Amino acid sequence: MQVTETLNEGLKRGYKIVVPATDLDAKVNEKLVEAQPEVEMKGFRKGKVPMALLKKQFGQRLMGEAMQEAVDGAMSKHFEDSGDRPAMQPDVKMTNEDWKEGDDVEIEMSYEALPEIPEVDLKKVKLEKLVVKAGDKDIEDALGNLAETAQDFKDRKKGSKAKDGDQVVIDFLGKVDGEAFDGGAAEDYPLVLGSGSFIPGFEEQLVGAKAGDDVEVKVSFPAEYGAENLAGKDAVFECKVKEIKEPVAAEINDELAKKFGADDLAALKVQISERLEAEFSGAARAVMKRSLLDELDKLVSFDLPPSLLDAEAKQIAHQLWHEENPDVQGHDHPEVEPTDEHTKLAGRRVRLGLLLAELGQKAEIEVSDAEMTQAVMNQARQYPGQEKQFFEFVQQNPQMRQQIQAPLFEDKVIDYVFELAKVSEKEVSKDDLQKAVEALEDE
């Protein structure tokens, strides 16, 4: 097998590969010898079909397999010998299109090699970690928010009209074409106006009602309503308003704590403090990660594969275009051309991505099966009732698995660098941390 270099400019590489006809013939014969014991053919006992007949019958089909294996083997050996790592799938094509059996196979292979990544002394990287302690006010504010979510209701003054957000206690009877239907009646039903608990248009017609009022609510069931006998039908609900109650925050006490799974109020405060500090720590990590990436970006400089740079710039431009045009779904829109700003950002992302990948590879960092499974489970929860289908989709889709794995790998590399870098802590207020996070979002 002959391999001749035809292009070597920057990161671009080109090679001519010639696979001798004798090598291909030997591979075909090898496959026939391997298959011969199992072949059955009329007029011959199993495993006794002559090689010449086997070659005539199956040789042409096996030649295609032999050619593919020979080319794949040549490529693998080239990358092993040269040490090159292609940035993207190499472009491979057969050049002697008039090839016939007995001819050598001539192949052209071109690709962009990944660059040599310079060494970085991570111990010289200096970072600042923002530290925020959960103060009494933070805990009290969080308790107040919990009390709001666990709201109670108290009776409004006699004669008060129901407002959006109020709870109305009603008896109701629903009818379609004058006939009551199953599931269309209840007594002492507590309905929060504006909650969207009932079909569209129902709750709005109870706004302004008073205790003791009889209200006739007229609505139409949606065409896609679950019960076929009601879908798309007009209905009338005879409602008796019995009580009007206004929302009030729950009292901050042991009873509230128990609603949220704590033994008492003191235990709930400890839980809140831990949760807040975990949130602060996560935000601080995001700020420190950005600082790290900025530092690494200053420390390294190397040529980037044009194909990776172009693909990343186009992706950035496409994503930003959709953010500016949220009403456009899918990709049925004019081609979006990257700007110089998009290309500049793409250069940073590609350079840092290659650097982090190199650091992770040298440190032998891997994403475990357990970590991958947990990540897939977390994403599957976004599709209630379809978790199994999501799991199967991920298992059958290598690109999707890569999308889930990539951020896990990056986070592990970032944590590895944090351990080596010189990190100093700085205690700041929650507002200062919030400003730092907002600054990240503005960039």
Side-chain angles (χ1 to χ4, degrees):
M1 190 174 300
Q2 299 175 348
V3 179
T4 307
E5 186 176 75
T6 58
L7 175 65
N8 190 331
E9 295 178 1
L11 297 174
K12 294 182 178 180
R13 302 285 186 271
Y15 295 90
K16 179 181 178 181
I17 302 174
V18 178
V19 181
T22 52
D23 289 1
L24 291 174
D25 193 55
K27 276 188 172 291
V28 171
N29 288 335
E30 183 182 316
K31 288 178 176 292
L32 290 172
V33 169
E34 184 180 334
Q36 188 181 33
E38 300 300 321
V39 176
E40 296 183 65
M41 192 176 291
K42 190 174 180 180
F44 299 94
R45 285 180 296 159
K46 181 178 179 180
K48 298 299 181 179
V49 181
M51 287 294 294
L53 191 56
L54 284 176
K55 193 165 188 176
K56 183 179 179 180
Q57 182 79 8
F58 304 109
Q60 190 169 0
R61 178 171 63 83
L62 291 176
M63 179 63 74
E65 294 179 13
M67 288 171 65
Q68 186 63 55
E69 289 178 10
V71 172
D72 290 345
M75 289 172 58
S76 297
K77 188 173 188 310
H78 163 72
F79 289 125
E80 183 180 342
D81 293 345
S82 67
D84 278 355
R85 292 177 296 165
M88 300 182 78
Q89 185 68 25
D91 181 31
V92 180
K93 60 182 179 181
M94 187 172 173
T95 55
N96 53 336
E97 296 178 0
D98 57 347
W99 178 88
K100 60 184 182 299
E101 192 170 347
D103 290 347
D104 296 343
V105 175
E106 297 175 5
I107 301 292
E108 280 186 0
M109 176 176 69
S110 59
Y111 61 89
E112 291 172 4
L114 289 175
E116 288 292 326
I117 311 297
E119 291 283 343
V120 178
D121 188 352
L122 299 175
K123 293 180 181 179
K124 291 184 178 180
V125 175
K126 296 180 180 179
L127 300 171
E128 185 176 71
K129 180 180 180 180
L130 304 181
V131 178
V132 179
K133 300 295 184 182
D136 291 341
K137 186 178 184 305
D138 298 322
I139 295 172
E140 291 303 323
D141 288 345
L143 277 172
N145 291 332
L146 288 179
E148 289 289 342
T149 62
Q151 66 182 8
D152 292 325
F153 292 91
K154 69 175 184 179
D155 290 335
R156 281 195 177 277
K157 292 181 180 179
K158 189 175 181 180
S160 295
K161 294 182 178 180
K163 300 177 182 179
D164 202 36
D166 282 354
Q167 183 190 76
V168 293
V169 179
I170 58 175
D171 295 342
F172 63 84
L173 175 64
K175 297 180 180 179
V176 171
D177 297 328
E179 296 291 330
F181 55 88
D182 289 341
E187 294 183 354
D188 296 325
Y189 189 92
L191 173 63
V192 177
L193 302 183
S195 64
S197 303
F198 280 23
I199 60 176
F202 190 103
E203 295 165 24
E204 292 87 338
Q205 295 179 55
L206 291 173
V207 173
K210 295 179 292 185
D213 285 353
D214 292 309
V215 181
E216 193 176 74
V217 174
K218 298 179 180 179
V219 291
S220 296
F221 283 97
E224 65 279 7
Y225 193 70
E228 292 184 10
N229 62 315
L230 300 176
K233 297 288 184 66
D234 293 331
V236 176
F237 285 83
E238 299 168 359
C239 301
K240 177 71 173 180
V241 181
K242 303 175 80 172
E243 298 176 64
I244 305 291
K245 299 184 177 186
E246 64 179 330
V248 293
E251 290 188 33
I252 298 175
N253 53 24
D254 289 344
E255 289 303 313
L256 174 68
K258 290 175 182 177
K259 286 183 179 179
F260 290 95
D263 291 336
D264 52 32
L265 185 57
L268 180 59
K269 287 183 177 181
V270 171
Q271 290 180 11
I272 290 174
S273 177
E274 292 173 348
R275 177 177 58 79
L276 288 174
E277 293 196 357
E279 290 176 3
F280 296 152
S281 179
R285 183 187 186 281
V287 173
M288 190 164 75
K289 177 180 176 180
R290 174 60 65 85
S291 297
L292 170 62
L293 295 178
D294 289 344
E295 286 300 308
L296 293 177
D297 193 33
K298 296 174 188 175
L299 290 174
V300 294
S301 178
F302 48 85
D303 291 337
L304 301 177
S307 57
L308 288 184
L309 186 61
D310 182 59
E312 185 66 26
K314 287 181 177 178
Q315 182 176 338
I316 291 171
H318 190 263
Q319 179 183 342
L320 292 177
W321 188 90
H322 272 286
E323 289 177 5
E324 294 168 1
N325 299 271
D327 295 336
V328 180
Q329 302 295 323
H331 305 290
D332 187 18
H333 55 72
E335 186 174 351
V336 183
E337 288 296 327
T339 65
D340 291 343
E341 192 64 27
H342 297 149
T343 302
K344 181 180 178 182
L345 177 56
R348 172 187 163 99
R349 287 188 182 179
V350 172
R351 184 165 50 254
L352 290 173
L354 292 175
L355 174 60
L356 292 176
E358 182 77 3
L359 292 174
Q361 183 179 16
K362 287 184 176 179
E364 299 182 349
I365 293 172
E366 295 181 347
V367 176
S368 69
D369 291 342
E371 290 168 333
M372 189 66 181
T373 300
Q374 185 60 51
V376 175
M377 287 176 62
N378 292 340
Q379 291 205 19
R381 292 192 186 101
Q382 300 174 23
Y383 307 93
Q386 297 180 310
E387 292 87 349
K388 182 180 178 182
Q389 293 91 322
F390 182 80
F391 265 100
E392 292 174 351
F393 172 72
V394 172
Q395 289 174 345
Q396 298 166 8
N397 191 318
Q399 187 176 0
M400 186 65 181
R401 287 201 303 274
Q402 176 60 27
Q403 288 179 6
I404 295 174
Q405 186 186 56
L408 298 178
F409 176 79
E410 180 178 293
D411 279 343
K412 295 188 78 169
V413 176
I414 292 293
D415 288 336
Y416 163 74
V417 178
F418 284 164
E419 291 176 5
L420 295 177
K422 293 181 180 178
V423 179
S424 59
E425 293 189 351
K426 179 182 178 182
E427 192 163 333
V428 298
S429 68
K430 182 177 70 172
D431 290 340
D432 288 337
L433 176 60
Q434 182 62 34
K435 289 176 183 177
V437 171
E438 289 172 355
L440 298 183
E441 296 170 353
D442 292 339
E443 293 182 10

